[in-house]
């Protein structure tokens, strides 16, 4: 292998999907160079052999394959990053840039099912890990993009790919993640089993990873000094580390003017606060601190609860649990009937409970606002854990009123501030190299 080929190989030493294949054509050694995630190597090799059969010499084969021949090192590297197949003769100065038979990165790609991009690309990751890596390379064809592969598991060997941008993600972060992945000996069943290997969060609702099925979101995370993990047969990317700011920002926001982006993020902050506060505030003001109300509002609230046998805490807990059950049913039922059945059932059930004097009209309004507010944050996983955190605040508010609500919020902030991933605090708004 010539000096130029060794330089090219060293340049892509951080890319586990990079290949240099030696082939014999007309008794002459040639080298095929490219990325396995972008090039269908078997079909491309067959194409080269078919062209060789109709070419009397290797030099004519190179001429027949491409009009870009005998290019310099920089052009070769750029062509590889663009997904081209590079063919070099034993003398590396004789080479050709060939349009290969590429992997079809869109044939099995569907629209995102869990995320709704607006004015953005509508493709989503699939279950094939090579296609997923290829989708990242198509969007980020830089030689600073590093790719490492792992085989993890005991009974079920699963492929895991780690991607990051050299110079963006810190060396300490990449080394720690590489060490943790190499130490995994058990089978990886899903995100939670992988999550436990990255820190003690078994009973914590906040994951170390932020899953996304949008390639644009994954690329944006790479540019923000993060690491992306792909697990074979899982149709999404796992961003590490997962930070609090992830639930308030989306790569899709960049399609709007700054003022609109700022407005959307303010709405998400309001959504988080409304989800945590509204049920607890209702209980605190109705049952513990009614003196906070003005007289006319207090009379209106008392009238709305007239004839209701349940305490404010019990009726709120019942409604909150029922709404969470409805949201779970929407997720589990078939897509063709789930939303319709649960929406109609929820409307009928809510109306029946109001008419039966089990809950007040005011509480129905509060719970509806909470359902809408909890859906404004980015990511289903974030929405779930925010909905969970409202329960301890609700319990404290039912005992201590407004004081309990404030204490619950303070404890929630302290709890979230105590979470770390590889010594990185969860409540961090930007990930700079000096922080990691």
């Amino acid at each position: 292998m010539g000096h130029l080929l060794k330089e090219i190989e060293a340049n892509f030493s951080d890319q586990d999907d990079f290949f240099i294949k030696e082939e014999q054509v007309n008794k002459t050694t040639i080298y095929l160079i490219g990325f396995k995630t972008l090039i269908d190597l078997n079909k491309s090799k067959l194409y080269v052999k078919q062209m060789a059969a109709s070419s009397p010499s290797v030099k004519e084969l190179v001429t027949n394959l491409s009009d870009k021949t005998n290019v310099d090192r920089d052009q070769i590297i750029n062509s590889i990053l663009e997904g081209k197949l590079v063919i070099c003769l034993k003398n590396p100065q004789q080479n050709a840039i060939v349009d290969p038979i590429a992997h079809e990165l869109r044939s099995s790609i569907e629209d995102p099912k869990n995320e709704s991009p607006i004015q953005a690309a509508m493709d989503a990751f699939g279950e094939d890990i090579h296609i997923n890596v290829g989708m990242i390379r198509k969007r980020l064809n830089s030689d600073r993009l590093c790719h490492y592969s792992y085989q993890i598991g005991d009974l079920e060997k699963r492929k895991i790919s780690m991607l990051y941008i050299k110079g963006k993600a810190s060396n300490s972060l990449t080394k720690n993640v590489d060490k943790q992945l190499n130490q995994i000996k058990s089978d990886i069943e899903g995100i939670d089993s992988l999550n436990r290997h990255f820190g003690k969060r078994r009973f914590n609702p906040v994951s170390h990873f932020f899953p996304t099925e949008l390639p644009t979101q994954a690329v944006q995370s790479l540019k923000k000094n993060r690491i992306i993990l792909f697990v074979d047969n899982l149709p999404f990317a796992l961003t590490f580390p997962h930070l609090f700011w992830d639930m308030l920002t989306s790569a899709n926001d960049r399609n709007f003017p700054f003022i609109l982006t700022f407005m959307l993020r303010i709405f998400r902050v309001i959504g988080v606060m409304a989800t945590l506060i509204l049920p607890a505030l209702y209980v605190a003001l109705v049952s513990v601190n009614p003196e906070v109300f003005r007289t006319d509002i207090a009379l209106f609230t008392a009238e709305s609860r007239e004839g209701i046998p349940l305490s404010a805490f019990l009726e709120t807990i019942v409604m909150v649990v029922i709404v969470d059950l409805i949201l779970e049913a929407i997720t589990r039922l078939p897509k063709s009937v789930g939303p319709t059945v649960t929406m109609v059932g929820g409307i009928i059930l809510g109306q029946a409970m109001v008419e039966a004097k089990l809950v007040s009209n005011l509480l129905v309004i509060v719970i509806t606002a909470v359902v809408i507010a909890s859906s404004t944050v980015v990511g289903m996983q974030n929405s779930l854990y925010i909905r969970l955190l409202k329960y301890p605040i609700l319990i404290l508010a039912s005992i201590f009123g407004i004081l309990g609500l404030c204490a619950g919020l303070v404890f929630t902030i302290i709890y979230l501030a105590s979470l770390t991933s590889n010594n990185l605090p969860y409540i961090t708004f930007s990930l700079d190299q000096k922080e990691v």
Side-chain angles (χ1 to χ4, degrees):
M1 189 180 293
H3 178 68
L4 177 60
L5 289 180
K6 290 182 178 179
E7 282 188 7
I8 295 172
E9 187 176 27
N11 191 84
F12 294 101
S13 60
D14 294 328
Q15 319 294 341
D16 282 355
D17 54 340
F18 175 76
F19 67 84
I20 296 182
K21 293 291 184 182
E22 182 179 324
E23 297 289 332
Q24 292 292 325
V25 174
N26 294 339
K27 298 182 180 180
T28 303
T29 300
I30 66 171
Y31 298 94
L32 306 180
I33 309 171
F35 284 120
K36 290 184 287 187
T37 52
L38 298 177
I39 298 171
D40 191 325
L41 182 57
N42 292 329
K43 291 182 180 179
S44 297
K45 284 165 58 176
L46 181 60
Y47 169 68
V48 171
K49 288 180 179 179
Q50 289 174 343
M51 293 293 291
S54 60
S55 302
S57 66
V58 176
K59 290 185 178 180
E60 288 193 23
L61 168 63
V62 171
T63 304
N64 293 336
L65 285 173
S66 174
D67 55 355
K68 292 183 179 180
T69 59
N70 302 332
V71 300
D72 59 23
R73 173 184 174 276
D74 292 338
Q75 287 181 286
I76 290 177
I77 290 176
N78 289 334
S79 299
I80 293 172
L81 292 172
E82 291 172 1
K84 305 292 186 181
L85 177 67
V86 177
I87 297 178
C88 289
L89 303 185
K90 203 156 189 179
N91 175 9
Q93 302 301 328
Q94 293 180 293
N95 53 64
I97 309 299
V98 180
D99 289 324
I101 299 176
H103 280 303
E104 185 52 64
L105 298 179
R106 295 186 178 272
S107 60
S108 59
I109 296 173
E110 300 179 356
D111 292 345
K113 294 181 173 60
N114 300 312
E115 299 175 69
S116 302
I118 302 172
Q119 298 179 0
M122 293 299 293
D123 54 348
F125 292 122
E127 296 183 357
D128 190 311
I129 193 170
H130 296 297
I131 290 180
N132 292 340
V133 175
M135 292 174 72
I136 296 293
R137 286 204 179 280
K138 279 291 186 182
R139 288 167 169 79
L140 200 63
N141 55 346
S142 168
D143 58 350
R144 293 170 59 190
L145 179 64
C146 300
H147 172 216
Y148 290 93
S149 299
Y150 305 85
Q151 285 276 356
I152 292 175
D154 181 19
L155 299 176
E156 180 188 8
K157 295 289 185 181
R158 302 191 70 171
K159 296 178 183 177
I160 294 183
S161 290
M162 178 177 73
L163 289 88
Y164 64 91
I165 298 177
K166 186 185 297 182
K168 289 283 189 178
S170 72
N171 291 331
S172 60
L173 180 62
T174 56
K175 288 179 181 177
N176 286 337
V177 173
D178 177 73
K179 180 180 177 181
Q180 288 168 320
L181 289 174
N182 283 315
Q183 289 176 344
I184 299 176
K185 303 302 179 184
S186 58
D187 290 340
I188 300 298
E189 304 296 339
I191 298 179
D192 187 58
S193 57
L194 183 63
N195 190 60
R196 290 198 294 268
H197 291 284
F198 278 75
K200 297 179 180 179
R201 285 196 189 176
R202 186 182 181 100
F203 299 104
N204 294 336
V206 185
S207 173
H208 287 287
F209 303 100
F210 176 70
T212 179
E213 57 183 343
L214 302 179
T216 51
Q217 183 71 42
V219 170
Q220 190 62 34
S221 297
L222 288 171
K223 292 179 180 178
K224 290 182 177 179
N225 310 338
R226 313 285 187 88
I227 289 174
I228 292 295
L229 297 181
F230 288 111
V231 181
D232 205 13
N233 298 323
L234 293 183
F236 40 76
L238 300 175
T239 301
F240 181 86
H242 175 204
L243 303 179
F244 178 80
W245 191 240
D246 292 335
M247 77 166 68
L248 305 177
T249 61
S250 170
N252 186 65
D253 295 343
R254 296 177 179 271
N255 294 319
F256 305 108
F258 172 77
I259 187 64
L260 297 182
T261 299
F262 181 76
M263 179 189 70
L264 290 174
R265 293 174 181 176
I266 290 296
F267 284 159
R268 289 172 190 146
V269 173
I270 294 173
V272 172
M273 298 304 296
T275 304
L276 295 175
I277 289 175
L278 283 182
L281 185 63
Y282 172 82
V283 172
L285 294 179
V286 169
S287 62
V288 183
N289 300 114
E291 68 277 2
V292 175
F293 282 136
R294 288 172 49 188
T295 303
D296 53 347
I297 298 178
L299 292 174
F300 168 76
T301 305
E303 183 181 353
S304 70
R305 298 198 71 253
E306 185 178 357
I308 295 175
L310 300 177
S311 66
F313 173 70
L314 285 179
E315 68 166 338
T316 304
I317 280 289
V318 168
M319 284 298 293
V320 167
V321 170
I322 288 176
V323 166
D324 282 342
L325 289 175
I326 291 173
L327 293 175
E328 183 65 13
I330 292 175
T331 305
R332 302 303 169 193
L333 284 173
K335 302 295 182 184
S336 57
V337 298
T340 303
V341 169
T342 50
M343 182 180 67
V344 174
I347 293 172
I348 294 173
L349 182 61
Q351 185 66 28
M353 293 181 72
V354 170
E355 292 181 356
K357 294 292 185 179
L358 292 177
V359 298
S360 68
N361 290 320
L362 184 58
L363 178 61
V364 173
I365 296 172
V366 169
I367 296 301
T368 304
V370 169
V371 173
I372 296 171
S374 65
S375 302
T376 60
V377 299
V378 179
M380 175 62 71
Q381 184 173 262
N382 290 324
S383 176
L384 286 173
Y385 96 74
I386 289 296
R387 280 159 48 194
L388 176 63
L389 291 178
K390 71 177 179 284
Y391 285 99
I393 299 175
L394 175 59
I395 293 171
L396 287 172
S398 68
I399 300 173
F400 303 106
I402 299 295
L403 178 62
L405 188 155
C406 295
L409 283 177
V410 171
F411 289 146
T412 299
I413 294 172
I414 292 173
Y415 165 71
L416 294 178
S418 68
L419 299 178
T420 59
S421 296
N422 277 42
N423 298 321
L424 304 174
Y426 174 64
I427 300 184
T428 300
F429 292 100
S430 63
L431 194 63
D432 299 326
Q433 282 202 20
K434 62 182 180 182
E435 295 176 340
V436 293

